[in-house]
Amino acid sequence: MDNISRRGLLTGAGAVVAAGALGVPTASARSLALPTTKRFAMGGDGGEIFRHKPLADVTVMQSFAFDTPNNRLFTGQLRAGRGANSGDLTLTQLSLTGTVLGRMYLNGFGHAVSIGAQAVGSTSYIWTETDVDTTNGRGRQICRFPWRNDTTLTSASVTKWKPVTGGVLTPAVDQRYGRLGVRHASPEGMRITVYDLAAASAGNYSTVLASFVQPALTAGVAFQGWALYGSYCYFWEGTAYPGDPDPAKANSKLWCYDINAGKIVDSFLTLAGNSLTYREAEGMAVYGSTDATARLYFGFASGVGGDRRANLFYRNELV
């Protein structure tokens, strides 16, 4: 869940740029044009791949990402028993049917509102926030590291970058179009800045492909994830059922933002998984290397405290 205050969002906005970041876009940078692509229809065709699956930890799934070329799925969550602001995370590798295949632990990283995955041959590289600010539990930089099962990493052990001036950084990877997005705080609110993925992987953030302020979503509803695909950005929001699975109380909503037009072009209040216990919207990511195989996934946490589970649904209609 991403529901910290605006005051907390701006904490650390004047932090020093990490070594390796070659350029820092200002908060006033305008959105730049990207080659126009198709977009997912928010109320279009779709389905689910699994429901109520356990992860490597018992906490709520915060986010997930696909390594499409290698058909791998990774999830991020807070590590049980470590405190909400510790920044200690558990990553789980799953099969595409929801079987746990491995785990990693990340100490001092952040909240895992969004993670990314990038294939380099047969190796999966994971993008996350890092360098936790323990006053709010969010990362102040981003990092990239290879997946290694049964490994524990500390924030000090990874190469990290701060390509923007704001705090509360989270990454998203657009594998199809080779881009990295960074969501971060700015004086205008949350901003998303887009870079070339190959350049960013090498620590070069000197060229900004697009930069825009996140549009206003539903007031009072928790922001729960985001994803990039082509010339569109997708947002996911929703609050857990307040004690009972009454579909009339559901507020989980999908949003589609046209980066080039600078506006929301589609939204949909979904009742997917409306029979789930708890049903908290958590995480968003894209799978697929062509329009024919592309799917926009959105997740829910389910279950009871101390035994939360993961659920993944998708949209696959492009218009």
Side-chain angles (χ1 to χ4, degrees):
M1 179 182 293
D2 187 10
N3 60 358
I4 57 180
S5 68
R6 176 176 172 80
R7 184 175 183 180
L9 289 176
L10 299 179
T11 301
V16 176
V17 178
L22 301 183
V24 182
T26 65
S28 61
R30 294 182 178 179
S31 178
L32 306 175
L34 298 172
T36 301
T37 63
K38 291 184 177 181
R39 64 173 177 85
F40 292 99
M42 298 294 86
D45 295 338
E48 65 181 271
I49 56 169
F50 59 71
R51 186 180 292 229
H52 205 57
K53 295 290 187 177
L55 302 176
D57 215 329
V58 296
T59 56
V60 166
M61 175 184 72
Q62 297 290 335
S63 57
F64 58 93
F66 293 95
D67 171 349
T68 294
N70 292 307
N71 283 319
R72 294 172 185 152
L73 168 62
F74 303 94
T75 64
Q77 60 195 130
L78 299 181
R79 191 168 177 182
R82 293 299 182 94
N85 288 352
S86 69
D88 294 350
L89 305 176
T90 300
L91 300 182
T92 304
Q93 182 185 350
L94 299 167
S95 71
L96 297 188
T97 56
T99 300
V100 172
L101 301 176
R103 74 191 69 192
M104 287 184 73
Y105 296 115
L106 310 179
N107 293 337
F109 278 63
H111 195 77
V113 170
S114 177
I115 63 173
Q118 175 189 8
V120 180
S122 62
T123 300
S124 298
Y125 278 79
I126 309 299
W127 287 83
T128 69
E129 67 200 278
T130 191
D131 184 25
V132 67
D133 180 345
T134 55
T135 66
N136 58 32
R138 268 54 174 181
R140 293 174 288 199
Q141 300 188 72
I142 58 171
C143 66
R144 170 185 179 268
F145 53 86
W147 172 267
R148 292 193 178 98
N149 189 33
D150 288 330
T151 298
T152 298
L153 298 178
T154 65
S155 181
S157 70
V158 297
T159 300
K160 41 188 169 285
W161 304 285
K162 188 172 180 60
V164 292
T165 55
V168 198
L169 277 65
T170 57
V173 172
D174 180 350
Q175 296 174 94
R176 168 86 187 276
Y177 293 97
R179 298 184 187 123
L180 172 74
V182 180
R183 182 176 180 262
H184 56 99
S186 78
E188 304 153 289
M190 297 307 293
R191 175 174 280 274
I192 292 170
T193 303
V194 183
Y195 304 91
D196 176 81
L197 179 60
S201 299
N204 183 350
Y205 294 85
S206 60
T207 300
V208 174
L209 302 181
S211 186
F212 55 93
V213 175
Q214 179 180 307
L217 303 179
T218 306
V221 178
F223 179 87
Q224 300 288 16
W226 66 287
L228 287 174
Y229 187 75
S231 58
Y232 294 89
C233 190
Y234 299 89
F235 303 108
W236 179 221
E237 65 178 14
T239 306
Y241 279 126
D244 61 271
D246 179 359
K249 298 175 181 177
N251 61 6
S252 299
K253 197 168 188 178
L254 300 158
W255 298 82
C256 176
Y257 178 84
D258 184 330
I259 296 172
N260 292 336
K263 64 181 182 180
I264 293 289
V265 292
D266 195 7
S267 64
F268 185 75
L269 184 68
T270 180
L271 294 181
N274 64 355
S275 64
L276 295 172
T277 299
Y278 185 69
R279 190 183 181 268
E280 183 175 21
E282 296 286 1
M284 175 176 263
V286 175
Y287 173 92
S289 57
T290 65
D291 282 353
T293 60
R295 292 180 174 185
L296 174 68
Y297 282 90
F298 51 99
F300 290 102
S302 63
V304 298
D307 186 23
R308 299 297 190 197
R309 304 295 182 94
N311 308 261
L312 291 190
F313 298 81
Y314 64 88
R315 294 286 184 265
N316 64 347
E317 182 179 343
L318 287 163
V319 295

